[in-house]
């Protein structure tokens, strides 16, 4: 624990660093960190470690080195005030005699939504809100979307050359980016609840789609397979009992489902939409099942389908310092495309960073997308 007196923003930034340690383990709950300060010293800290486990405030209180009575607490999200998997954190703060509460983000959950702050103030506890609000909101962009929309937060991820190619004219794509960038993708897989590809990528690459980093967590794997053509000998099917696999198709013939079900796969049947699985219907169903986020690692066809349906919230673009050329070489987004630059999907750049010799651009999708797939 730090012994130096810090500003409110510095304490909250420390709470944010603590919250990040819950990445991959708390969904569909938010990542939350808490720091308890008394007489200019941090006496307790904690974070939400795992879904169903105590929340950050109770973790911090449990790890106090002295009585928290009269202390301040910095928490990245408004304290809960309802019974869920855990009892209300507002009760714990009141019982502990906390004097002041510094909050980063308000909680849009209808069960909280300002009620937590209201209860604390009604008990004479001073509450200061919106400390590093933008950073706290950014940390939980997935939670904030899911709790209000009831549908997964969806992100596209692709790697391309500096001239916008995801494969050579021969179809070869290994490797566009360097090892450092490829390793970084596994941190994304840990962050997102599910990873989704199309049948074309499944057939071409025969991937595992697991998370191969220390302290990682494998996402639920989803294959969009309109006609149920995924090979029973694929790595995905063979590992379905170890890592969940959902196959999304339009095939209603239960006899064709049997081999996949026997292998431990789950079948989701949607109506057909534009010759493919109904992606809006799928996203609604995934949200109903508690999947709060999807990382789309498919090819150009699936990327276009997601974008043209207005289902993408974020884009991760890895750019390698290479030029492939080739008029027939694939680009990240296929399909018909939008008819003019004015109708293109507009992005707001959130971050740009070097990963090894490659560049990663993180962007949020601005507004609604309209198009035909």
């Amino acid at each position: 624990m730090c012994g130096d007196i810090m500003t409110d923003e510095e304490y909250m930034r420390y709470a944010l660093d603590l919250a990040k340690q819950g990445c991959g383990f708390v969904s569909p709950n938010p990542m939350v960190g808490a720091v308890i300060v008394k007489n200019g010293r941090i006496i307790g800290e904690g974070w939400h470690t795992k879904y169903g486990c105590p929340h950050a405030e109770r973790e911090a209180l449990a790890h106090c080195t002295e009585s928290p009575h009269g202390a301040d607490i910095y928490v990245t999200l408004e304290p809960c005030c309802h019974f869920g998997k855990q009892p209300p954190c507002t009760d714990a703060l009141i019982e502990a005699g906390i004097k002041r509460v510094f909050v980063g983000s308000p909680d849009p959950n209808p069960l909280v939504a300002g009620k937590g702050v209201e209860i604390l103030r009604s008990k004479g506890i001073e509450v200061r809100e919106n400390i590093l609000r933008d950073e706290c909101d950014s940390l939980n962009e997935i939670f904030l979307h899911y709790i209000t929309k009831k549908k997964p937060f969806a992100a596209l991820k692709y790697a391309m050359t500096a001239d916008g190619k995801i494969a050579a004219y021969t179809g070869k794509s290994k490797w566009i980016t360097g090892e450092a960038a490829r390793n970084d993708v596994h941190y994304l897989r840990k962050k997102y609840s599910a990873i989704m590809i199309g049948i074309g990528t499944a057939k071409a690459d025969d991937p595992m789609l697991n998370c191969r980093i220390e302290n990682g967590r494998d996402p639920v794997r989803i294959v969009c397979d309109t006609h149920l053509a995924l090979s029973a000998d694929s790595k995905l099917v063979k590992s379905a009992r170890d890592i969940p696999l959902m196959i999304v198709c339009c095939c209603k013939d239960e006899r064709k489902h049997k081999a996949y079900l026997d292998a431990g796969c789950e079948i989701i049947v949607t109506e057909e939409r534009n010759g493919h699985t109904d992606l809006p219907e799928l996203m609604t169903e995934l949200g109903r099942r508690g999947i709060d986020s999807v990382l789309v690692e498919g090819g150009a066809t699936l990327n276009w389908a997601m974008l043209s349906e207005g289902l993408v919230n974020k884009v991760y673009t890895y750019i390698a310092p290479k030029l492939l050329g080739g008029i027939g070489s694939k680009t990240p987004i296929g399909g018909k495309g939008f008819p003019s630059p004015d109708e293109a999907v507009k992005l707001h750049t959130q971050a740009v960073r070097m990963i090894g010799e490659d560049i990663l651009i993180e962007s949020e999708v601005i507004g609604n997308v309209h198009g035909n797939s």
Side-chain angles (χ1 to χ4, degrees):
M1 298 181 188
C2 179
D4 297 331
I5 295 178
M6 299 189 288
T7 65
D8 293 339
E9 288 74 18
E10 288 172 327
Y11 284 127
M12 187 62 76
R13 191 161 283 115
Y14 183 40
L16 278 165
D17 288 340
L18 294 172
K20 292 173 185 176
Q21 296 185 61
C23 180
F25 302 105
V26 300
S27 63
N29 281 353
M31 291 177 277
V32 183
V35 178
I36 299 175
V37 180
K38 189 173 184 180
N39 299 324
R41 294 176 293 106
I42 294 177
I43 65 167
E45 59 186 57
W47 64 92
H48 187 27
T49 59
K50 188 177 181 180
Y51 178 71
C53 290
H55 293 177
E57 298 93 325
R58 289 182 178 271
E59 284 282 358
L61 289 169
H63 291 92
C64 279
T65 55
E66 61 182 87
S67 170
H69 191 275
D72 300 334
I73 187 169
Y74 294 79
V75 60
T76 55
L77 185 72
E78 178 183 1
C80 67
C81 55
H82 64 287
F83 282 88
K85 294 285 185 180
Q86 295 290 326
C89 289
T90 49
D91 288 357
L93 298 178
I94 293 166
E95 292 167 6
I98 292 294
K99 182 180 179 181
R100 294 189 300 178
V101 178
F102 295 80
V103 176
S105 297
D107 189 341
N109 185 337
L111 297 174
V112 186
K115 301 183 186 71
V117 167
E118 183 180 338
I119 288 172
L120 294 172
R121 285 176 173 155
S122 73
K123 297 298 182 179
I125 297 173
E126 181 182 345
V127 180
R128 297 186 184 179
E129 301 177 78
N130 300 320
I131 310 298
L132 295 185
R133 167 75 181 271
D134 289 346
E135 292 180 42
C136 292
D137 283 356
S138 179
L139 175 71
N140 281 309
E141 59 184 357
I142 288 174
F143 168 76
L144 296 175
H145 174 88
Y146 180 69
I147 200 68
T148 54
K149 305 295 185 182
K150 304 302 181 185
K151 295 179 182 180
F153 182 94
L156 293 188
K157 188 282 299 180
Y158 54 82
M160 68 180 191
T161 59
D163 58 341
K165 308 297 184 179
I166 61 173
Y169 74 92
T170 59
K172 293 183 178 180
S173 60
K174 293 184 178 180
W175 293 104
I176 295 292
T177 52
E179 185 176 354
R182 298 198 301 273
N183 186 63
D184 188 70
V185 171
H186 290 279
Y187 289 93
L188 292 182
R189 291 182 179 182
K190 177 182 176 181
K191 177 179 178 179
Y192 285 80
S193 296
I195 180 170
M196 185 164 72
I197 63 172
I199 185 59
T201 299
K203 286 183 173 181
D205 298 343
D206 192 23
M208 273 290 290
L209 302 181
N210 58 344
C211 179
R212 299 187 289 276
I213 55 173
E214 185 177 355
N215 197 34
R217 177 201 57 83
D218 292 323
V220 173
R221 302 166 307 169
I222 303 171
V223 179
C224 292
D225 181 10
T226 306
H227 304 296
L228 204 53
L230 182 63
S231 171
D233 291 324
S234 66
K235 293 176 183 176
L236 290 167
V237 173
K238 286 186 173 181
S239 60
R241 295 197 183 280
D242 299 315
I243 308 173
L245 174 65
M246 296 179 178
I247 303 175
V248 187
C249 66
C250 299
C251 174
K252 299 179 181 180
D253 187 344
E254 294 184 357
R255 293 171 299 178
K256 293 184 178 180
H257 296 178
K258 188 177 186 305
Y260 299 101
L261 296 175
D262 288 347
C265 306
E266 185 173 0
I267 301 290
I268 297 177
V269 178
T270 74
E271 295 299 323
E272 189 171 306
R273 183 180 176 91
N274 300 315
H276 301 286
T277 52
D278 190 323
L279 292 174
E281 179 186 343
L282 172 62
M283 296 298 277
T284 298
E285 176 61 19
L286 293 178
R288 188 186 68 79
R289 293 174 182 231
I291 293 178
D292 66 353
S293 54
V294 175
L295 180 65
V296 181
E297 287 197 38
T301 300
L302 181 58
N303 289 349
W304 165 251
M306 288 290 291
L307 282 170
S308 63
E309 292 286 3
L311 299 174
V312 179
N313 304 103
K314 187 163 186 162
V315 179
Y316 297 94
T317 304
Y318 292 85
I319 304 175
K322 299 174 182 176
L323 300 172
L324 267 176
I327 193 169
S329 301
K330 290 185 178 180
T331 59
I333 314 300
K336 181 180 179 180
F338 297 105
S340 73
D342 289 341
E343 296 178 66
V345 175
K346 295 176 176 60
L347 305 177
H348 168 69
T349 302
Q350 296 174 302
V352 179
R353 58 190 174 99
M354 294 294 299
I355 303 179
E357 62 179 9
D358 303 310
I359 299 171
L360 170 61
I361 302 176
E362 294 185 30
S363 309
E364 65 175 337
V365 175
I366 300 173
N368 295 320
V369 180
H370 300 283
N372 300 309
S373 58

